[in-house]
Amino acid sequence: MDEIVERAKSNRQRIVLPEGTEERTLQAADRVLAEGIADLILLGKKEEIMAVAKKFNLKNIDKATIIDPATDEKREAYAQYFCELRKKKGMTIEEARKKMNDPLYYGCMIIKSGDADGQLGGARNTTGDTLRPALQIIKTSPGITCISGAMIMLTKASQYGDNGLLVVSDVAVTPVPDAHQLAEFAVCTARTAHDVAGIAHPKVAMLSFSTKGSATHEVVDKVVEATKLAKEMAPELDVDGEMQADAALVPRVAASKAPGSPVAGKANVLIFPCLEVGNIAYKLVERLGGAEAVGPILQGIARPVNDLSRGCSVDDIYHMIAVTSNQAISAKNNE
């Protein structure tokens, strides 16, 4: 996390916080502004934001740009632009103006217009409410058709992954991905591992309950096909599968079950076959293994829009602002 924060400081990005009056968000924002991690745009009425800042004795909130969507001078231009973006879906200018009352939509329009680089919300809103404007306005990255959620796992098991560091996906978005979606998850998660988690050489394991044909089932076939597609999408990427988790992580098991694999026994990126498995697995590792889980980090959007848990802490928000900044840096570098 220290490395992620330092990278953000070295190339400060403009991050929108649409829940500008939310108490935890403002406490995290105060710390981010004090440390110079990002340039923040807070959405909401200035008097309400400053009242919360006064309540918690926050000294740095005045360093942020505060925008009230109800009175902002760019409101009409954003409404017109949004109407144009959605006209094929039957959007009217009246509906577009109404949507500009929603800070989650307004923040995405700020990004789409080039006035910000990323957004972080969800402390008060559901995942669906956070993602919907991102998909309607910012849309997916070139060549990517769906969104996934990765988690950076900081474990105490230094013998596995990259000195105990692993990135896993999907844990948040797509319940039953098909083979093509799984392949996209692999490519996107490898990019997150490299650009955000700082893993120099991502090694991607496509997980299943089978290793190299040890079991047969249609869900295994899906992972085999996804591995093939991922290699076609990113020929330079070290990706292999299907394999069980122990074969992915443990060199002794890898030597027995997947000899000659460039990934088995050395994996630092794990792709789960479905959301159910991924969500259960990372929470078990977090709770029973004492790992720290950072995320979910939403992948596949052309500019980063991340979704917090409504039970998030101030530290969670602080960390995710730094993560979102790193994603914004990566998106610009990959244009």
Side-chain angles (χ1 to χ4, degrees):
M1 281 310 310
D2 289 345
E3 292 174 7
I4 290 171
V5 167
E6 287 305 314
R7 281 197 299 273
K9 284 182 181 179
S10 69
N11 188 352
R12 277 170 36 184
Q13 302 295 298
R14 300 164 298 172
I15 306 302
V16 181
L17 301 178
E19 298 156 329
T21 58
E22 202 277 324
E23 293 180 353
R24 293 162 297 171
T25 298
L26 280 180
Q27 290 175 77
D30 189 71
R31 184 175 165 195
V32 165
L33 292 164
E35 297 178 16
I37 294 170
D39 296 324
L40 298 183
I41 300 170
L42 300 172
L43 300 189
K45 295 184 183 302
K46 184 170 184 178
E47 58 270 24
E48 293 179 8
I49 291 171
M50 297 314 294
V52 176
K54 183 177 180 181
K55 175 182 176 182
F56 288 95
N57 196 30
L58 306 178
K59 304 295 187 184
N60 299 283
I61 296 302
D62 58 355
K63 296 178 183 177
T65 299
I66 297 176
I67 295 175
D68 181 357
T71 59
D72 184 31
E73 62 181 17
K74 293 187 176 182
R75 176 187 171 93
E76 179 62 21
Y78 289 158
Q80 295 283 351
Y81 190 9
F82 181 56
C83 184
E84 179 68 20
L85 289 171
R86 301 289 292 170
K87 68 179 181 180
K88 290 182 180 178
K89 300 290 185 180
M91 177 65 65
T92 66
I93 187 59
E94 291 79 13
E95 291 173 312
R97 287 171 179 147
K98 186 176 179 181
K99 284 293 187 186
M100 292 305 99
N101 293 326
D102 185 336
L104 294 167
Y105 275 86
Y106 206 84
C108 285
M109 284 307 306
I110 294 174
I111 296 167
K112 185 70 173 180
S113 301
D115 298 326
D117 305 305
Q119 177 165 289
L120 176 64
R124 280 181 178 162
N125 291 278
T126 66
T127 297
D129 288 342
T130 303
L131 278 179
R132 197 171 298 111
L135 290 173
Q136 290 181 5
I137 296 168
I138 301 173
K139 306 187 186 302
T140 55
S141 302
I144 300 299
T145 63
C146 62
I147 293 174
S148 56
M151 196 72 71
I152 297 175
M153 303 299 296
L154 308 169
T155 80
K156 298 174 183 177
S158 60
Q159 70 271 37
Y160 300 131
D162 193 330
N163 194 32
L165 170 66
L166 297 105
V167 184
V168 303
S169 179
D170 173 31
V171 300
V173 182
T174 306
V176 186
D178 60 27
H180 191 274
Q181 289 172 321
L182 275 182
E184 289 187 3
F185 297 171
V187 174
C188 289
T189 310
R191 184 176 297 167
T192 296
H194 182 273
D195 295 347
V196 179
I199 294 176
H201 302 291
K203 291 186 175 294
V204 184
M206 309 294 285
L207 297 185
S208 181
F209 62 82
S210 167
T211 301
K212 299 295 183 178
S214 65
T216 57
H217 192 276
E218 61 185 19
V219 298
V220 176
D221 295 340
K222 179 178 76 171
V223 177
V224 172
E225 177 66 13
T227 304
K228 175 175 172 281
L229 292 171
K231 290 177 179 178
E232 292 172 357
M233 289 179 191
E236 75 287 355
L237 184 62
D238 278 341
V239 55
D240 200 10
E242 89 290 8
M243 67 181 70
Q244 292 158 287
D246 57 352
L249 295 172
V250 185
R252 175 182 55 80
V253 177
S256 171
K257 292 186 174 183
S261 169
V263 170
K266 302 183 284 285
N268 47 39
V269 176
L270 305 179
I271 305 301
F272 298 117
C274 66
L275 176 57
E276 185 174 38
V277 171
N279 193 270
I280 291 169
Y282 100 77
K283 288 176 187 266
L284 285 175
V285 172
E286 181 183 23
R287 301 303 177 182
L288 299 181
E292 180 181 353
V294 179
I297 302 165
L298 297 183
Q299 309 174 131
I301 309 172
R303 283 291 184 269
V305 174
N306 278 312
D307 174 44
L308 295 159
S309 162
R310 278 173 285 175
C312 62
S313 68
V314 173
D315 280 348
D316 292 335
I317 301 171
Y318 169 86
H319 289 149
M320 284 304 297
I321 291 171
V323 165
T324 306
S325 295
N326 275 254
Q327 287 180 284
I329 295 166
S330 172
K332 291 176 181 178
N333 290 339
N334 288 312
E335 281 183 335

